[in-house]
């Protein structure tokens, strides 16, 4: 299966690891199953704007950074 937004997937995974948070913990934060979160991180599922904003706030980065549209966090 093709990755939809490779920059988003890579940045999400890197940010999660920087914060020492498990995929299971992220799934809980997003009120999703662990498998669903794994699919998000792998780029197999696009996230809603609401989820994107929640992730940006959680990691203290901009949505543009998460999407790979800018390098500055």
């Amino acid at each position: 299966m093709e990755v939809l937004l490779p920059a988003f997937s890579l940045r999400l995974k890197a940010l999660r690891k920087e914060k020492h948070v498990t995929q299971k913990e992220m799934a809980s934060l997003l009120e999703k199953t662990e498998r669903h979160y794994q699919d998000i991180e792998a780029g197999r599922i696009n996230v809603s704007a609401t989820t994107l904003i929640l992730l940006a706030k959680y990691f203290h980065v901009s949505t543009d950074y998460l999407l790979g549209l800018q390098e500055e966090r």
Side-chain angles (χ1 to χ4, degrees), residues 19-49:
K19 200 163 180 150
H20 305 288
V21 179
T22 66
Q23 289 182 332
K24 186 174 187 172
E25 291 168 328
M26 289 301 300
S28 179
L29 171 78
L30 300 176
E31 299 179 345
K32 305 290 183 190
T33 65
E34 186 174 0
R35 179 66 180 153
H36 187 90
Y37 177 78
Q38 290 168 345
D39 286 341
I40 290 171
E41 196 171 279
R44 291 186 289 266
I45 294 176
N46 284 326
V47 298
S48 68

Side-chain angles (χ1 to χ4, degrees), residues 6-21 23 37 40-42 59 66:
F8 174 75
S9 298
L10 293 172
R11 289 184 177 183
L12 181 59
K13 184 175 184 177
L15 289 166
R16 177 180 61 79
K17 288 186 172 199
E18 281 177 23
K19 200 163 180 150
H20 305 288
V21 179
Q23 289 182 332
Y37 177 78
I40 290 171
E41 196 171 279
F59 289 116
L66 269 176

Side-chain angles (χ1 to χ4, degrees), residues 5-16 26 37 47 49 51-73:
L5 287 170
F8 174 75
S9 298
L10 293 172
R11 289 184 177 183
L12 181 59
K13 184 175 184 177
L15 289 166
R16 177 180 61 79
M26 289 301 300
Y37 177 78
V47 298
T51 300
L52 180 64
I53 292 166
L54 186 132
L55 289 168
K57 286 183 178 182
Y58 180 77
F59 289 116
H60 305 288
V61 297
S62 70
T63 55
D64 282 353
Y65 176 79
L66 269 176
L67 294 172
L69 300 174
Q70 72 180 36
E71 294 302 314
E72 188 176 325
R73 290 183 179 199

